[in-house]
Amino acid sequence: MDSGRGHVFPVKFVHDLAEIPASYVIDGHVILQRFMWENLDKSCKEQILTTLVYEWWDKGECEKPLESLPDFLKPYANSFASSQGANCLAAVLFAISKGKQEWFIYEWVHQKTFLEKLKQYDYEELLTDELHHGDVVLWTDENGIIQHAAYHLGEELYFNKDGQTIFNPWKILSKEQLYKEWEHLTIVKYRPCNELF
């Protein structure tokens, strides 16, 4: 453990501590390093990953997808990515492209790129509280920096991704869940131009 690196988590996250070599357990914590991980039993790996995700990243709260959920979103709704990097802006861009730009969903997208793509897809800021399927909701800080974005599915449900790790799933969330999480920020809404009137 002299390397000074590794993923550290409490021993209580491991159901069968006998599976972990003693040299990787220090002061009530497990130091997860590649060599040790590769030698663990598959069921132990699954248990540790499930616990880590539940305790630190996502408790699994989500809504059942609507019957009318577009086909292009079905493979992603309430599921985890297989690689790091995709963020909420990427999830929204994928949704507004109606799945035609699949690469969007796997990317980390910068605010400037996101706003340019919204404009390219003819989205304009919306000045009403009423939302339609396909609208985009952003939450911005006091400096106008986008902190989060979600795609409205209708019936007060949203296609959403919090965070950019493989431990942050794409989920269907209710308006109540989503708005509570981001209530400290300013809401900005967008809709395609051809649906504004």
Side-chain angles (χ1 to χ4, degrees):
M1 298 308 96
D2 294 331
S3 67
R5 44 189 183 113
H7 188 81
V8 180
F9 55 87
V11 293
K12 69 180 182 178
F13 285 15
V14 181
H15 292 171
D16 185 4
L17 201 54
E19 294 279 334
I20 307 297
S23 62
Y24 289 88
V25 180
I26 300 171
D27 298 327
H29 291 84
V30 173
I31 313 300
L32 180 64
Q33 291 186 330
R34 183 177 179 173
F35 177 77
M36 182 267 282
W37 180 256
E38 289 175 348
N39 289 302
L40 288 178
D41 179 80
K42 182 180 178 189
S43 63
C44 184
K45 289 177 184 178
E46 288 175 357
Q47 181 275 304
I48 290 170
L49 282 176
T50 302
T51 304
L52 282 171
V53 168
Y54 183 81
E55 292 292 334
W56 284 349
W57 282 284
D58 193 87
K59 301 263 188 238
E61 306 97 342
C62 59
E63 300 295 323
K64 183 178 176 188
L66 298 165
E67 293 281 330
S68 61
L69 185 71
D71 287 341
F72 65 87
L73 288 177
K74 287 179 181 176
Y76 303 99
N78 302 333
S79 69
F80 289 91
S82 59
S83 60
Q84 304 278 27
N87 63 4
C88 62
L89 303 181
V92 169
L93 288 183
F94 174 74
I96 68 172
S97 81
K98 300 190 180 343
K100 293 179 180 139
Q101 298 294 328
E102 188 174 10
W103 63 273
F104 281 153
I105 195 108
Y106 301 108
E107 296 298 315
W108 183 91
V109 175
H110 186 274
Q111 172 176 308
K112 182 178 178 187
T113 303
F114 178 75
L115 291 171
E116 287 172 1
K117 287 293 180 187
L118 275 182
K119 191 174 185 178
Q120 182 181 346
Y121 280 96
D122 293 324
Y123 273 73
E124 289 187 2
E125 192 170 337
L126 182 61
L127 302 174
T128 180
D129 288 334
E130 180 187 344
L131 288 176
H132 298 163
H133 169 81
D135 289 347
V136 171
V137 180
L138 312 177
W139 286 265
T140 61
D141 65 18
E142 63 278 357
N143 298 313
I145 306 297
I146 299 171
Q147 298 299 312
H148 191 63
Y151 179 80
H152 188 248
L153 297 166
E155 299 183 36
E156 297 194 343
L157 293 176
Y158 294 81
F159 181 63
N160 183 73
K161 184 165 190 326
D162 286 332
Q164 57 197 31
T165 73
I166 59 172
F167 303 120
N168 302 114
W170 294 290
K171 296 198 298 189
I172 307 299
L173 291 182
S174 69
K175 177 181 179 179
E176 181 181 356
Q177 290 169 291
L178 192 58
Y179 281 53
K180 185 175 182 179
E181 175 74 22
W182 302 99
E183 66 186 352
H184 61 289
L185 298 171
T186 302
I187 292 177
V188 182
K189 301 167 188 168
Y190 284 83
R191 178 175 294 160
C193 299
N194 60 350
E195 297 176 23
L196 287 174
F197 306 103

